[in-house]
Amino acid sequence: MKRLVTLVLAAGLVLSAASGAQAIEFKASGQWLMGFNAADGSLVNKTRGQDGKMKKANNEDIFSAGQRIRLQLDAIASESLSGTVFFEIGDTTWGQAKTGGALGADQTIIELKRAYIDWAVPNTELKVRMGLQGLAMPNAAGGSAVLDDDVAAVVASYQFNENVGLTLSWARPYNDNYTAGGTSHPNDKSNYLDNMDLISLAVPLKFEGIEATPWVMYGTLGQNVFRGGKSYGNDNYRNFYTTSGYGPGNGRWMTDEDDFVRRKATTSAFWAGLPVKLTLWDPLNIEFDINYGYVESQGRGWMTDSYGHDKRYSTEREGWLAKALVEYKMDWGTPGILGWYSSGDDGNPGNGSERMPSVSPCGNFTSFMGDGNWGWASSGRIYDRNLSYAGTWGVGLQVRDMSFLEDLKHTFRAVYWGGTNSPTMAKYANSPWSWGSNYEDGDIGDVEHYLTTNDGILEFNLVNSYQIYENLEVNLELGYMINFIDQDTWKRSAGGKLGEAYEKQDAYKAQLIFAYTF
């Protein structure tokens, strides 16, 4: 009898669970990327230290193969309620043990990329998304130069009518990552004053042939949010976007984020933008985007130039950016012209940096310097540079989606990059190759090049995509960058005065990606 009762109860539980499950619709989507590339993304071939010895700047393999998998599961209760979880497996470099690509392939490499719920306030047009999600500031013509990344946030949107909407968001990119380093500063306490919070407001406007989304974003930065870097256990490693470091990355210039006295517990930041898209004269398409950013000074310090002269500097950072795209759609493809101009450092560290600050940008005008095309590669050396265009200008020609055979498309670009930073800034650099990344570590990801008005880079892209099946694409990308960095300018650095030198080179990549999406 007891067994019978137990079976009945178990059956009831199964039926009730099945009944509950029937109320939820599950939808799966995903992406498999398999990539193979032959590339050298470094613009520096060799470096010579003060010991007089030349060494290779980048010792990584020219050829690499890898993969990345993304899986998304949506649990949909109704049009007013759903939940989403998004996993990423990889990036996995074939043959590499730490990423799960070596023999046996037994590594924990599953990452939680996004996890959020969507719900609507009953009987209203107010929609809310909360949790880890993709958040991008409104943008046009070349992607977001301020923020486009996964972040913990709450986003509320309201549609007044078919023409006007309103979006309000609060995001927390960083918090509880600082580990006290035993220094003497009074706020040297683990997880204390190490948060960064962002509040943004956008007004999407959409009329026939015109789209515009004016937006503003206010941020607060705790005193310890970027202090110490990884050496103190602080994982907020992308600090060179929002702090006023003068180089493309900490450690390559004579200042870093911890060599000044912080005078405020919390500092403020502000951004604003106006992206506009015009299709009034279809097939003519016009896009332009104007951005402004400001981070107030966290304190002042001293930096030393290559002549041994001390210079008082400010950690304030303020700058602007304008970018545009004009293209005309034709039967065989879409030719266009693109360009941008951003403010740059004026050569006087005493009044702060004039480059526009960013949080986590994603510029995509091009696919070698930028994150265009798939924004992925089988090697971390040649993708995801989180491009903000700060301190640069550029102009380019492109022909997008050329097609002469069914299911086969081509995109070609030729773009010249110039700098808007004063050549005077080179004398505050540690080495003659400080305009780039830590090339001696083979690390060029997540770092932009610091270009003066004497420097330039000419980039070519050719992207070819063939649709094998409805869900399977093969993508061949060819890229080349010609190096016009002015070595005489960078000899003014401290290292240059002490005999350091480098040998520059052009960069190239040939990449084949098989992409299965569903």
Side-chain angles (χ1 to χ4, degrees):
M1 186 65 179
K2 290 183 178 179
R3 290 183 179 179
L4 181 58
V5 172
T6 301
L7 288 173
V8 171
L9 290 174
L13 289 173
V14 171
L15 290 173
S16 64
S19 176
Q22 289 174 359
I24 304 297
E25 176 187 353
F26 288 92
K27 180 181 178 182
S29 57
Q31 177 189 88
W32 272 258
L33 298 181
M34 305 290 168
F36 310 88
N37 76 71
D40 188 348
S42 172
L43 291 171
V44 174
N45 183 27
K46 296 179 180 179
T47 61
R48 184 182 70 202
Q50 296 176 26
D51 58 5
K53 298 180 180 179
M54 293 291 288
K55 65 177 182 179
K56 188 71 174 174
N58 182 7
N59 294 314
E60 296 200 18
D61 297 332
I62 295 298
F63 173 79
S64 66
Q67 65 184 66
R68 185 187 72 190
I69 301 173
R70 289 179 170 177
L71 297 173
Q72 178 173 320
L73 181 64
D74 298 300
I76 304 171
S78 67
E79 293 183 355
S80 302
L81 176 62
S82 66
T84 297
V85 63
F86 193 168
F87 298 104
E88 182 171 292
I89 305 174
D91 298 321
T92 299
T93 300
W94 288 8
Q96 188 177 70
K98 68 179 181 180
T99 59
L103 183 65
D106 294 328
Q107 288 290 335
T108 304
I109 56 172
I110 299 177
E111 305 169 0
L112 178 64
K113 185 170 178 62
R114 298 177 185 174
Y116 57 84
I117 60 172
D118 286 313
W119 60 281
V121 177
N123 302 317
T124 73
E125 294 297 321
L126 180 61
K127 298 180 180 179
V128 181
R129 174 173 293 183
M130 51 179 58
L132 295 171
Q133 58 186 280
L135 183 64
M137 290 300 100
N139 62 86
S144 175
V146 177
L147 172 62
D148 185 355
D149 211 335
D150 297 326
V151 65
V154 177
V155 179
S157 58
Y158 190 88
Q159 195 67 33
F160 294 101
N161 52 48
E162 62 180 9
N163 303 118
V164 182
L166 181 69
T167 302
L168 177 66
S169 70
W170 164 65
R172 171 158 280 187
Y174 301 117
N175 189 45
D176 289 349
N177 296 301
Y178 177 63
T179 301
T183 63
S184 59
H185 65 84
N187 290 329
D188 186 22
K189 306 168 187 177
S190 295
N191 300 334
Y192 181 62
L193 290 177
D194 66 345
N195 64 294
M196 178 178 181
D197 292 279
L198 303 170
I199 299 175
S200 66
L201 178 67
V203 182
L205 305 172
K206 187 174 182 179
F207 302 93
E208 185 176 357
I210 302 175
E211 293 184 29
T213 309
W215 63 272
V216 293
M217 181 168 68
Y218 174 78
T220 60
L221 290 75
Q223 190 178 96
N224 293 329
V225 65
F226 298 129
R227 187 191 291 271
K230 284 192 173 181
S231 59
Y232 288 111
N234 190 342
D235 290 330
N236 301 349
Y237 56 91
R238 293 182 179 178
N239 49 25
F240 45 81
Y241 291 126
T242 46
T243 59
S244 56
Y246 286 91
N250 291 330
R252 302 311 309 148
W253 289 62
M254 303 200 101
T255 65
D256 60 34
E257 90 305 358
D258 202 40
D259 68 353
F260 57 86
V261 178
R262 287 167 169 77
R263 306 192 184 281
K264 295 183 178 181
T266 301
T267 55
S268 298
F270 176 80
W271 289 269
L274 178 61
V276 178
K277 298 181 180 181
L278 302 175
T279 56
L280 289 166
W281 307 284
D282 185 65
L284 180 67
N285 176 57
I286 299 175
E287 300 180 16
F288 63 88
D289 198 352
I290 302 172
N291 297 130
Y292 167 82
Y294 169 75
V295 177
E296 70 173 320
S297 174
Q298 292 182 318
R300 298 180 69 86
W302 294 93
M303 61 196 305
T304 306
D305 64 19
S306 55
Y307 299 95
H309 301 145
D310 289 335
K311 176 71 175 181
R312 198 166 184 83
Y313 76 94
S314 169
T315 56
E316 180 181 273
R317 185 164 173 173
E318 181 179 20
W320 58 272
L321 164 69
K323 48 192 174 74
L325 169 68
V326 179
E327 55 185 5
Y328 190 89
K329 188 174 182 179
M330 307 181 75
D331 293 338
W332 53 269
T334 305
I337 183 170
L338 57 91
W340 72 92
Y341 190 93
S342 175
S343 59
D345 291 332
D346 63 4
N348 177 17
N351 61 12
S353 172
E354 286 74 34
R355 291 183 301 136
M356 188 182 76
S358 300
V359 181
S360 185
C362 188
N364 56 22
F365 264 139
T366 66
S367 60
F368 201 167
M369 282 277 280
D371 287 329
N373 198 22
W374 280 96
W376 178 81
S378 57
S379 170
R381 307 186 319 271
I382 56 173
Y383 87 109
D384 194 21
R385 297 184 185 224
N386 288 73
L387 185 70
S388 74
Y389 308 104
T392 69
W393 67 271
V395 63
L397 298 174
Q398 72 174 23
V399 182
R400 180 172 57 85
D401 294 337
M402 289 183 290
S403 183
F404 306 102
L405 296 174
E406 186 178 0
D407 297 326
L408 179 62
K409 293 183 179 181
H410 316 271
T411 294
F412 175 77
R413 301 184 188 92
V415 180
Y416 182 82
W417 299 72
T420 59
N421 300 297
S422 169
T424 303
M425 293 304 301
K427 69 181 181 180
Y428 297 104
N430 276 335
S431 72
W433 57 91
S434 291
W435 51 268
S437 316
N438 269 337
Y439 285 109
E440 62 268 33
D441 298 328
D443 175 19
I444 65 169
D446 290 337
V447 175
E448 301 182 49
H449 299 299
Y450 188 95
L451 305 180
T452 73
T453 53
N454 293 338
D455 302 316
I457 297 172
L458 180 59
E459 176 181 358
F460 296 96
N461 303 152
L462 177 60
V463 178
N464 311 277
S465 62
Y466 178 66
Q467 206 71 33
I468 301 176
Y469 300 114
E470 182 179 355
N471 300 98
L472 180 63
E473 174 189 323
V474 59
N475 184 284
L476 174 63
E477 178 184 344
L478 305 175
Y480 197 87
M481 290 193 292
I482 302 177
N483 189 337
F484 292 115
I485 300 297
D486 186 67
Q487 292 177 293
D488 289 336
T489 295
W490 292 94
K491 286 180 181 178
R492 306 176 190 179
S493 68
K497 293 293 183 180
L498 296 175
E500 292 183 347
Y502 73 96
E503 179 182 301
K504 69 179 184 179
Q505 66 178 14
D506 296 340
Y508 67 90
K509 76 170 177 178
Q511 173 178 279
L512 184 66
I513 293 178
F514 292 84
Y516 168 45
T517 58
F518 68 93

